[in-house]
Amino acid sequence: MIKKSRWKKFQLGIIATLLSISLFQGQVYAQTDISSANQNNISQENNQDNLVKNNQKNQKNLSPFTKEDYMESSATQMAQAIRDGRVTSEQLVKWAYEIIDQKDSKLNAMITLRKEEALKEARELKDTGQPFYGVPVLMKGLGHTVAGYDNTQGFKFMKGTISKHDSRYTKEFKKAGFIILGQTNFPEFGLKNISDSPLYGKAANGLNPLYHAGGSSGGSGAGIAAHYAPVA
């Protein structure tokens, strides 16, 4: 009887020990679950904070693109601003012509302007991944013919000669996404380093109109210096 009683007590002790271990493991698991849940909550809160910060950063970066930005930005920056919805190509073209209207009476950098066509092209241009999507550009009046515009080589006897076709360079510029504003001044046949063609007159320096713009791409250089466009 004594041996059986001891054996029974021993069995009960084993059972009690197992129950204690089981309860302890349950508490550990419960604490682990709570800790995991807290970590998940903290992680979610951090993710939300990061999203808010990123949104605020993006909103700051996507601030409206101004006329001052146009005068200071590169061609690739302008293309990105258009894609980001900060500005339209049409607005860039309008600013370009405003600047030309303000300054070109003194600089004489432009020999032709294609305002209506440029605005129409800017409105209708589709984004197909062009590197310079919707960016205004100036084309030199010599060697880069634009359909419907001067092709005189700068000679007086060729005054009124109009190109029927875009040159290969002009076509490639358009494929790259550029909007052509017009043609720039140059010397007769590009043979001098001063742009003072008898047909178009002297192109003044874009930084100081009292000086020559140089050549043969004098009008292009003056236009860039005066912020007509980022590329010429």
Side-chain angles (χ1 to χ4, degrees), residues 79-148:
Q80 189 61 53
I82 295 171
R83 288 193 168 97
D84 288 341
R86 297 174 61 200
V87 71
T88 64
S89 175
E90 185 178 8
Q91 182 60 69
L92 297 184
V93 172
K94 287 180 179 179
W95 283 333
Y97 284 119
E98 285 177 9
I99 297 169
I100 291 171
D101 288 344
Q102 291 168 0
K103 297 183 178 183
D104 209 57
S105 59
K106 292 183 178 180
L107 299 183
N108 193 35
M110 308 301 298
I111 62 172
T112 66
L113 296 174
R114 51 191 305 274
K115 188 172 183 178
E116 295 304 320
E117 297 99 318
L119 288 169
K120 184 175 185 293
E121 290 169 7
R123 282 193 299 269
E124 297 177 354
L125 186 66
K126 303 299 181 184
D127 186 359
T128 59
Q130 308 96 311
F132 302 105
Y133 173 55
V135 177
V137 68
L138 307 176
M139 294 297 290
K140 185 177 180 178
L142 176 68
H144 311 309
T145 56
V146 179

Side-chain angles (χ1 to χ4, degrees), residues 144-148 162-167 170-171:
H144 311 309
T145 56
V146 179
I162 302 300
S163 177
K164 296 180 179 180
H165 308 285
D166 286 339
S167 72
T170 302
K171 290 177 182 178

Side-chain angles (χ1 to χ4, degrees), residues 13-128:
I14 293 296
I15 292 170
T17 301
L18 291 173
L19 287 173
S20 297
I21 292 172
S22 179
L23 289 172
F24 175 75
Q25 288 178 334
Q27 291 176 348
V28 171
Y29 292 147
Q31 290 176 352
T32 301
D33 290 341
I34 292 171
S35 177
S36 296
N38 289 336
Q39 289 178 352
N40 288 335
N41 289 335
I42 292 171
S43 179
Q44 289 176 356
E45 290 175 358
N46 289 336
N47 287 337
Q48 290 176 350
D49 289 340
N50 289 334
L51 285 173
V52 170
K53 290 178 181 178
N54 288 334
N55 287 336
Q56 290 174 345
K57 184 178 180 180
N58 288 336
Q59 287 175 358
K60 184 177 180 180
N61 290 338
L62 296 179
S63 59
F65 193 90
T66 65
K67 188 174 181 179
E68 287 70 26
D69 292 324
Y70 174 78
M71 296 172 69
E72 297 174 358
S73 299
S74 68
T76 53
Q77 288 171 331
M78 289 184 194
Q80 189 61 53
I82 295 171
R83 288 193 168 97
D84 288 341
R86 297 174 61 200
V87 71
T88 64
S89 175
E90 185 178 8
Q91 182 60 69
L92 297 184
V93 172
K94 287 180 179 179
W95 283 333
Y97 284 119
E98 285 177 9
I99 297 169
I100 291 171
D101 288 344
Q102 291 168 0
K103 297 183 178 183
D104 209 57
S105 59
K106 292 183 178 180
L107 299 183
N108 193 35
M110 308 301 298
I111 62 172
T112 66
L113 296 174
R114 51 191 305 274
K115 188 172 183 178
E116 295 304 320
E117 297 99 318
L119 288 169
K120 184 175 185 293
E121 290 169 7
R123 282 193 299 269
E124 297 177 354
L125 186 66
K126 303 299 181 184
D127 186 359
T128 59

